[in-house]
Amino acid sequence: LNLSGGTQQQALLTFNGNAIATNGTFSNTAVNLNNNSNTIQVSLIGGSSLTNSSGTNTLTLSNSYTGGTTIAGGALISSNVYGLGSTNGTVTISGGGVLDLGNLTQQQTSVTLSAGTIQDGTLTNTTIVGASGSNNVTANLAGSGSVTNSGGTNTLSGTNSYAGNTFVAGGLLNIASGSSLGATSGNTTITNGTLDLSGGTQQQALLTFNGNAIATNGMFSNTAVNLNNNSNTIQVSLIGGSSLTNS
């Protein structure tokens, strides 16, 4: 499909494998990618949205769409810094889907995972939500981003420097590398969930246990620890200039 440099609008644009759209723009259009080897050489603008239902597909152009990105299966590769549309957009990953950042630094308001993976690049100023299922974030997390583990089993293994807070509000959050809790100035709060340090040493400005909270399998250094409510399990060692308050 060649748009000859023009802008078009459709309710739904479906790529069903070995499909090409080129040389133009779609505005306010829901785009669905099925199967492999689709070529998306058109820009998506306005209230457009993008769903990767299956297969491996690549976004190569700069987009500004605001309708959000859904990866319900397969892999979506964003090989342009603005491939995912507006930096105020959201991404939802489920069904074993993969978001590949193309070894670039990209920004979204939030990425929510329910059995998914984020890999190969950096997300900056982005809220990461692990909602359910088994999720892996091997990409780096930077800027003012934050992490919320609300359910499922979620693993951070990138080299992270995010300055926002970390919330374990349910499920299990695994920290697979020494820097995966982000900036040492950050705060981590555990409520009805488990934080597993995988044998590593972490540092935070404040670590709060808010009830039915577990931290295990590692050490916190130079960290103020605050214990609130009942049934908190502290199975980590506290070293260096750490302090402990039972509130």
Side-chain angles (χ1 to χ4, degrees):
L1 174 63
N2 188 332
L3 300 185
S4 300
T7 298
Q8 299 288 332
Q9 179 175 338
Q10 293 279 278
L12 178 64
L13 171 65
T14 300
F15 293 72
N16 259 338
N18 298 304
I20 301 171
T22 187
N23 192 20
T25 301
F26 274 98
S27 177
N28 302 320
T29 299
V31 177
N32 191 13
L33 307 177
N34 290 320
N35 304 314
N36 293 312
S37 302
N38 297 298
T39 302
I40 307 97
Q41 290 180 334
V42 290
S43 296
L44 306 177
I45 66 173
S48 295
S49 62
L50 179 73
T51 298
N52 198 100
S53 297
S54 63
T56 298
N57 297 286
T58 302
L59 302 175
T60 60
L61 298 185
S62 177
N63 299 307
S64 61
Y65 64 92
T66 60
T69 304
T70 300
I71 304 172
L76 181 65
I77 303 169
S78 179
S79 63
N80 185 295
V81 170
Y82 299 105
L84 294 172
S86 168
T87 57
N88 294 320
T90 62
V91 178
T92 302
I93 309 173
S94 62
V98 176
L99 171 61
D100 189 310
L101 300 173
N103 293 311
L104 300 171
T105 297
Q106 306 197 38
Q107 180 176 336
Q108 292 283 279
T109 296
S110 66
V111 178
T112 300
L113 301 102
S114 299
T117 298
I118 309 172
Q119 65 185 29
D120 295 341
T122 299
L123 280 172
T124 186
N125 304 327
T126 301
T127 297
I128 305 297
V129 179
S132 63
S134 178
N135 302 293
N136 292 287
V137 181
T138 62
N140 304 319
L141 306 177
S144 61
S146 64
V147 172
T148 295
N149 198 111
S150 59
T153 298
N154 303 282
T155 300
L156 305 182
S157 57
T159 301
N160 299 321
S161 60
Y162 66 92
N165 295 330
T166 303
F167 302 94
V168 183
L172 170 64
L173 178 61
N174 289 314
I175 306 303
S177 71
S179 63
S180 286
L181 270 176
T184 58
S185 59
N187 297 334
T188 294
T189 302
I190 312 171
T191 309
N192 297 314
T194 300
L195 174 65
D196 189 328
L197 301 185
S198 301
T201 300
Q202 298 287 332
Q203 180 176 339
Q204 293 281 272
L206 177 64
L207 170 65
T208 300
F209 293 73
N210 255 343
N212 299 304
I214 300 171
T216 187
N217 194 18
M219 293 185 286
F220 274 96
S221 177
N222 302 319
T223 299
V225 177
N226 192 13
L227 308 178
N228 290 321
N229 303 314
N230 294 314
S231 301
N232 297 299
T233 302
I234 306 94
Q235 291 177 332
V236 291
S237 297
L238 305 178
I239 65 174
S242 296
S243 63
L244 180 70
T245 300
N246 197 98
S247 299

